Structures are given as structure tokens and as C-alpha cells.
Amino acid sequence: MQRLTRPVQRLLGGPDALLTRIYGSERNPAHQAGTMAVAMLLVLLVTGLYLVLVYRVGAPFESVARMAADPWLGGWMRTLHRYATDIFVLATALHAARMFSQRRSWGPRTMAWLSGLFLLGVGVFTAWTGFVMAWDSFGARLALEGARLLDLLPIFSEPLSRIFSGEGPVPSAFFFVNLFLHIAVPLGIGVGALAAVSRLARPVLLPPKGLLWATIAAITLASVLPAPLGPAPDSLTMVGSTPLDLFVGWWLPLTEPLPAGVVWLAGGAVALLALLVPRLTRPRSGVAAASVVDPRFCTGCNQCPQDCPWEAITMVPRSDGRPTLLAQVDPERCVSCGICAGSCKPMGVGPRGGAAAISCWTCVRRCCPGSSPRSRSASWPSAAPEHSTAHIAALRDSGAFVHPVSCVGNLHSSVIEWLIRSGAPGVITCGCPPRDCVNREGPKWLAERLYHDREAELQPRVDRRRVRIATLAPGDLAGTVAAFEAFRRALATLEPPTAELEVDLDALCDTAPLDEMRRSPVRWVGAFIGTGRRCGWWHASGLSVAAG
């Protein structure tokens, strides 16, 4: 699986890191590719309504040339429609590439992947018919190539290429069919979009308002400069050059010299490979089990169904005579994110029955020799993947003790409370960018539990000044270290921590060697770093750092 995704990870890693440094993790356009495609669909709808009113199937090139020559409205609307088309195709392809590189294409996510491929195909086909409708030299090249490919299939009684032989003008019925397809086929985009989000709770369809309006303003201003329109096609005249749209027609120079059969075979192979991605990227081993509910601990609070990002949990009647309802997990929809484990106060739900929360709490205790975290002076062992080594080393060099968690959404608030009340100076938790969370809503629900009393909430007895949340963005190692340093400086202004809990862990774990403890120049510091794998560079699903 890694051999398939690693090239895409490396390809996307550099630009993603650059965009994070420029725009920040909250407004990184690469994190909004899916919602940006939806926003461009709205722009295409508005501009398309105007363009279809002034377009004439009897004189396609002349009507488009008249629009392009209109400096007030026609040229601006046509160019805006063109740029929105390019951004839609680019955003949809980028979104698919990110889902592939993040391995979010198999299991319960298969439907979203397949519907996304459908959306990309429909978008490219619709753009193709739109350029043909303009009927300049580029539109004619697209039409000729399409006719050449279709002539190989036993569909039409007469070869379509004869329409463009020059024996007579291209019939207006051809442009009427293109206009009909250009309007009717996009209706399938709505169906595909509904299928893509059908398994999601609270789907986000639009990018943040600031990014949305900034993008629309940018392409609107760019539309002042008209998009190029090639000369009218003439079968008796050799065209010197053709303006080529790189997002829709980049493949023309590759396919035109090849036989139609070879093009069909190559295209079919690519399509088949894309359809098989859910099977090819599914891990052969180590697949996390779906969450399960322990009926003994379930109180029927209905919190885990509300927090589940995939609508995989429902409340059903109990069979043991207790008056409350019982949470039930649908394994066909569960992606094993463990967010439900962080929402359950008694830790009665999660992968393997709340194990995501229980094992995290237990592991934290096992990694803290002595009676309290204050005595911890040696590095915690880390289970982070290889590509996280540099990030973990940088945090450890800054005085952080690192421990991985799979997602901040399944980090139970009792873990943080135990650390603080046992004498840890502070705990900072760093997770995915909110709009680019592998598990969709991990950072969101963590913030609600720590600061807004969402079940399972962090208790009021915990000093909130010693708890902080930060974002761990791809390519922004300096920002992560800076957030840790700022938190440690803030903790230095507080009174020294006092341990309220004295827990005897001698029976649970070994103590650190005395000489190793003496070498540490800082007081107890701990970190939880999530091991979510992202696009070739390391990106944590969750990080929790206790600073001293």
C-alpha cells in the first residue's frame, strides 16, 4: 500500500507545506479542495445561466466571439465561467489525490471514493462539451478527437468524423446536442455529490467564508483579462496555433498521434486502476476493528451517536431490562477512528470496547515511573512511524516527552486530568488542521470537551491555564515547536504545580534508570503525538504535550 501512495505523498508534500506557511493551516486552499469544487459549481451555475441565454446554436462561434468582445458583461461572464471550470477540475482532482495519499479510499470510505471519481469524470466531460460549444480551433480539435474515438465503437451507423470533413457546414443539430449534454449531464454532479456525503454526519460543503469570498474575488478580478478564443475552424485552412486549456485538454497532444484503440486501452486501464484503488490500498494486515459497545458501561446518554462523524452509531432498546437505551455500532459504517471512545465518560465504547481511551490512559500511567508525572525525567518511548522521527526529535530537543495517539478525538479528558492533577506543569494537545482531519472531527470535539463542557468534559477542578490545544499542520514543524515554546513560557508565569493525586504505579511499570533521570535538564514534560500518516511528510493525527 505504501508503494502505491508514497509517490503521490511526495508530489503533494512540498506544495502543501508551502501553502501552510503562506496561508496558515486554517486557510490552506489544499485542505479545502473538496469544498472549493462545490463553490466553483455555484459560480458555474450563476454564470452559465447568463451564457446559455446569449448562446446561439445556429452561429456558435459568432455568438461566443460577440460575448468575448463585450467589455462590460459578456466577456467578463465568459471568462469567469472558464476560470471556474478550470478550478473545479483542478480542485476535484486534487481532492481525489489527497484522499488517495491519506489512504481514505477503502472500507466504509469506498462509496465516497467511487462517487468522487464519478464527479471528476462528469466534470471533465461537461467541460469538454463546453469548449466544443465555443467552436474555436481548440473546440474543433476536441470535437475531432472525440469523434475519432467514438468511431471505433459500434454505436453510430455513420462515422461521426464525416460531420467535420468540410463537405458542408457542421449542422446546428450537433451544437444543440452539445448544449443539451452541457446542461443535462451536470445534473449527475448533484447525484454524485449526495452519494459522496451520504455516509457523513454534518458534511461541510463550502470552504471558510474568508477563503470562499477571497477566491471568488480573485477570479472575478482575473476575469477582467479575457480568456483566449482561438480562430474559427476551417477545414480548408491550416491553423498556425491553438490556445490549449491545460486543465481540460492537456492530453490532446498525447492522444492525437496514437491509434484510437491504443487510446481506449490506455484510458480503460487508468479508469480500472482508479476503480480498484479501494482494494489496492486496503491494508493487508493490521486493519483496526470497528468500535464495539460494552453494555455494562453504556448509560444511554446518546453522546457517542452525536459525536460520530460517520453516523455509525444508533441507540437501540436494551435486552437486559435496564430502562435506558443502548448504543449500537454499525461495523459497515465505522472507520475505527475511536472518536466515540473520547465521548464516553465511563469508557464503554470504542475500538475493542473503549480500548482507545482505556489503553491511552493506561499507557500514560505505564510510561510515568514513580508516583507522579513530576518524577518523569526520561524520554517516553514513541510508536510514531519513521517519517515522524524529525518532528519527534525536534519536540524532544525542546523538552517534550512524546507519546503517540491515533487521534486527538479519542483522547479521553480523564487522561489530561490525571496528568495535571498528578503534578504535570501542563498539557498541550496538537491535532490535525480542523478542515483536514483524517477522522474529520477529532480536533473539534476535543476542544468542545476541554473548554465547552461537552461529554465527556474536562472537569472544572482542572486548571484550564495548564491545558492548551494547538494545530499540527503538514510542513509546519517550526510552528508546532513555536506553539510548544509559547505554552512553556506561559506555564513559567504560573505557580509551580502541586500534585493532588499520588498514584502508586510500582506494580504497573519499571522506574527509569537514575543516571538517565539526572541527565534531563527539565522537569517532567510529556507529549502525545498522533501517528496519522499524511502525504509522505509526517503529519500527526494527535499530539498532546505536557510541558515544564
Side-chain angles (χ1 to χ4, degrees):
M1 181 176 65
Q2 293 183 3
R3 288 180 295 179
L4 294 175
T5 59
R6 190 168 295 168
V8 182
Q9 293 171 354
R10 293 174 178 173
L11 179 64
L12 297 179
D16 199 343
L18 177 62
L19 291 173
T20 296
R21 288 192 289 268
I22 295 175
Y23 296 100
S25 60
E26 296 290 333
R27 295 180 176 82
N28 187 335
H31 299 171
Q32 318 290 334
T35 56
M36 192 64 70
V38 176
M40 292 302 102
L41 278 178
L42 299 179
V43 175
L44 289 170
L45 176 62
V46 173
T47 55
L49 289 175
Y50 168 81
L51 296 177
V52 75
L53 293 177
V54 298
Y55 181 75
R56 298 291 180 267
V57 294
F61 176 79
E62 291 76 8
S63 62
V64 174
R66 186 167 56 252
M67 282 188 283
D70 181 4
W72 298 106
L73 187 59
W76 174 71
M77 293 290 279
R78 171 184 168 270
T79 304
L80 183 58
H81 193 78
R82 166 82 170 268
Y83 291 165
T85 299
D86 292 341
I87 296 177
F88 170 80
V89 173
L90 176 63
T92 306
L94 177 60
H95 184 63
R98 288 182 64 82
M99 296 302 100
F100 173 76
S101 65
Q102 296 170 4
R103 302 163 195 167
R104 300 165 63 183
S105 55
W106 57 274
R109 296 182 171 104
T110 300
M111 175 62 72
W113 172 259
L114 296 179
S115 58
L117 292 179
F118 173 77
L119 289 175
L120 180 59
V122 170
V124 172
F125 177 79
T126 305
W128 187 334
T129 59
F131 282 106
V132 171
M133 287 168 56
W135 202 240
D136 61 350
S137 55
F138 175 58
R141 283 183 66 182
L142 284 173
L144 285 170
E145 183 65 5
R148 183 176 76 93
L149 296 178
L150 289 176
D151 285 345
L152 190 65
L153 305 179
I155 299 177
F156 303 99
S157 59
E158 295 290 335
L160 290 179
S161 301
R162 290 185 179 180
I163 299 177
F164 316 110
S165 63
E167 298 176 357
V170 178
S172 59
F174 170 76
F175 298 104
F176 176 80
V177 171
N178 270 275
L179 177 62
F180 174 77
L181 293 175
H182 191 70
I183 295 175
V185 170
L187 296 177
I189 294 180
V191 177
L194 290 176
V197 301
S198 61
R199 294 198 169 199
L200 304 182
R202 301 168 294 277
V204 178
L205 299 179
L206 292 175
K209 290 183 179 180
L211 180 62
L212 171 64
W213 292 114
T215 303
I216 293 178
I219 62 175
T220 300
L221 292 176
S223 300
V224 174
L225 299 176
L229 181 67
D234 187 349
S235 58
L236 302 178
T237 303
M238 180 68 69
V239 178
S241 62
T242 299
L244 189 68
D245 187 275
L246 295 179
F247 297 97
V248 177
W250 58 270
W251 46 269
L252 274 177
L254 301 176
T255 62
E256 285 176 331
L258 299 176
V262 174
V263 177
W264 275 112
L265 288 176
V270 172
L272 180 61
L273 184 62
L275 292 174
L276 291 177
V277 160
R279 179 174 293 273
L280 296 175
T281 57
R282 182 181 179 85
R284 296 182 180 180
S285 61
V287 178
S291 293
V292 295
V293 179
D294 190 331
R296 298 172 300 171
F297 299 108
C298 181
T299 63
C301 67
N302 197 42
Q303 190 61 53
C304 55
Q306 296 180 39
D307 287 3
C308 179
W310 308 93
E311 293 187 338
I313 306 178
T314 55
M315 303 301 295
V316 298
R318 302 183 69 107
S319 59
D320 54 8
R322 293 168 60 180
T324 62
L325 296 176
L326 176 68
Q328 184 178 70
V329 180
D330 182 358
E332 297 298 323
R333 301 178 70 98
C334 179
V335 300
S336 305
C337 64
I339 288 179
C340 54
S343 69
C344 184
K345 183 172 292 186
M347 303 183 189
V349 62
R352 295 179 303 278
I358 295 174
S359 63
C360 180
W361 190 85
T362 303
C363 192
V364 168
R365 297 181 64 189
R366 288 182 180 274
C367 291
C368 296
S371 61
S372 75
R374 292 180 299 168
S375 63
R376 180 57 175 165
S377 304
S379 294
W380 282 7
S382 175
E386 290 183 0
H387 52 267
S388 67
T389 303
H391 300 262
I392 294 175
L395 287 168
R396 284 177 173 167
D397 291 342
S398 300
F401 289 97
V402 179
H403 180 73
V405 294
S406 59
C407 176
V408 296
N410 62 48
L411 180 63
H412 204 276
S413 61
S414 62
V415 177
I416 298 176
E417 177 178 354
W418 184 83
L419 292 171
I420 297 298
R421 297 184 66 199
S422 297
V427 176
I428 179 172
T429 305
C430 301
C432 307
R435 287 288 189 125
D436 195 39
C437 177
V438 172
N439 295 320
R440 294 192 62 235
E441 296 178 335
K444 173 184 177 181
W445 294 141
L446 177 70
E448 291 293 320
R449 294 164 190 163
L450 297 188
Y451 297 111
H452 302 291
D453 297 328
R454 189 180 186 88
E455 189 99 3
E457 73 278 6
L458 186 64
Q459 298 301 310
R461 55 179 171 263
V462 179
D463 187 354
R464 294 304 194 279
R465 296 175 300 173
R466 300 186 183 276
V467 179
R468 183 171 296 185
I469 297 176
T471 298
L472 193 75
D476 191 21
L477 174 60
T480 302
V481 175
F484 171 73
E485 295 290 352
F487 182 51
R488 187 161 58 177
R489 288 193 297 270
L491 292 176
T493 64
L494 305 178
E495 297 179 358
T498 58
E500 303 176 31
L501 303 177
E502 292 296 333
V503 182
D504 184 7
L505 300 180
D506 291 339
L508 295 178
C509 55
D510 298 328
T511 57
L514 181 61
D515 58 343
E516 186 179 5
M517 296 173 67
R518 287 173 176 170
R519 286 198 300 267
S520 178
V522 296
R523 291 180 302 163
W524 186 89
V525 185
F528 298 114
I529 298 190
T531 57
R533 295 181 178 180
R534 299 292 195 101
C535 314
W537 69 95
W538 175 75
H539 177 54
S541 285
L543 166 71
S544 191
V545 182

